Amino acid sequence: MERHIFKFFLVLVLVTGFGMYSSAEPPEDIERPSSKEQMEKVRKRIETLRMWRLTEALNLDEKTSTQVFPLVGKYDKKRAEIEQSLRGSMKELRKSLKEKREGNLKSILDKIEENHKALQRIKEEEWAELKNVLTVEQQARFVIFQQEFEREIRKVIAEAREKRRSERFGKDRSERPFPQERPLPPER
């Protein structure tokens, strides 16, 4: 029952965010990324839902909540900044490959690698601080919660995107445009 309530709220939060976005954009721009403000609204909704679910999953009391929430929020903010940089680097990498600017690839790859290392450092720092606040049982519940919540978010986002595409282009896949056709690798 609790899982169904969670799923309902998660779908409601994400569909509302995606719904506002999808009604504002023309159909030909289906693969265009959301604006920063729209992405921020959805991120905040997910963050609020996550805190609510985290409180339940870890059985947090008020004292522990006041320690955990600022800590998790601090690391979420750091992660978001690095992920934004990573998205920019990936966009730049795709563009450089498409335009065959091979001289740029090494520096872009180095930047991507540094972003990945920074994300790992943040994860380790967050975990070290959480271990000082949470009991061993809560730590175990946190690890499980993180994995399940992230999986659920990815699933709901994928379903919302698919629903949006279906509504615009019909149920038949042949009616949908392919935003990027990937060339076949050269035969050897």
Side-chain angles (χ1 to χ4, degrees):
M1 177 72 173
E2 183 180 306
R3 189 169 276 274
H4 294 295
I5 292 171
F6 164 69
K7 201 168 190 178
F8 171 76
F9 279 115
L10 185 61
V11 168
L12 181 66
V13 164
L14 292 173
V15 170
T16 303
F18 286 124
M20 289 186 305
Y21 170 66
S22 65
S23 64
E25 73 177 24
E28 62 270 7
D29 286 346
I30 190 166
E31 293 300 321
R32 189 186 75 206
S34 302
S35 73
K36 286 182 182 181
E37 294 117 14
Q38 291 163 331
M39 287 177 64
E40 184 63 21
K41 284 180 185 177
V42 172
R43 189 189 67 74
K44 283 188 184 290
R45 287 182 179 144
I46 291 171
E47 184 179 306
T48 301
L49 182 62
R50 180 174 171 230
M51 293 304 179
W52 173 68
R53 290 286 295 150
L54 189 61
T55 301
E56 285 185 345
L58 275 57
N59 220 5
L60 295 176
D61 58 22
E62 190 176 331
K63 180 184 179 229
T64 310
S65 294
T66 59
Q67 293 174 309
V68 169
F69 291 164
L71 194 148
V72 170
K74 173 178 81 171
Y75 287 105
D76 282 348
K77 185 176 179 181
K78 287 181 179 184
R79 236 185 317 276
E81 291 169 3
I82 294 169
E83 287 168 350
Q84 182 178 359
S85 173
L86 186 57
R87 283 190 299 275
S89 295
M90 290 301 294
K91 185 177 180 179
E92 193 178 341
L93 184 66
R94 285 185 188 94
K95 186 176 179 180
S96 290
L97 276 172
K98 186 178 180 180
E99 296 173 359
K100 302 204 183 300
R101 292 185 287 150
E102 294 177 13
N104 296 351
L105 297 179
K106 175 74 171 118
S107 64
I108 298 169
L109 289 171
D110 289 344
K111 190 174 179 182
I112 290 171
E113 183 179 5
E114 186 52 45
N115 284 331
H116 283 289
K117 287 178 181 179
L119 286 172
Q120 185 60 37
R121 278 191 304 273
I122 287 171
K123 186 176 184 177
E124 290 168 2
E125 290 170 12
E126 178 182 37
W127 182 243
E129 285 193 51
L130 282 170
K131 285 178 15 180
N132 292 328
V133 176
L134 301 174
T135 66
V136 174
E137 181 181 339
Q138 287 172 326
Q139 291 172 33
R141 290 178 185 275
F142 180 81
V143 169
I144 292 168
F145 170 81
Q146 284 288 93
Q147 183 179 19
E148 290 175 355
F149 189 80
E150 288 173 13
R151 184 181 315 127
E152 192 70 29
I153 291 292
R154 284 191 302 270
K155 181 180 175 188
V156 170
I157 289 172
E159 289 171 356
R161 283 181 180 157
E162 184 59 32
K163 182 180 178 192
R164 191 174 71 187
R165 286 183 184 131
S166 295
E167 289 171 355
R168 290 203 177 144
F169 300 108
K171 302 271 184 216
D172 182 9
R173 287 189 178 268
S174 63
E175 295 177 29
R176 295 186 199 150
F178 292 97
Q180 293 178 334
E181 289 188 24
R182 297 183 189 266
L184 295 174
E187 292 185 25
R188 293 185 183 222

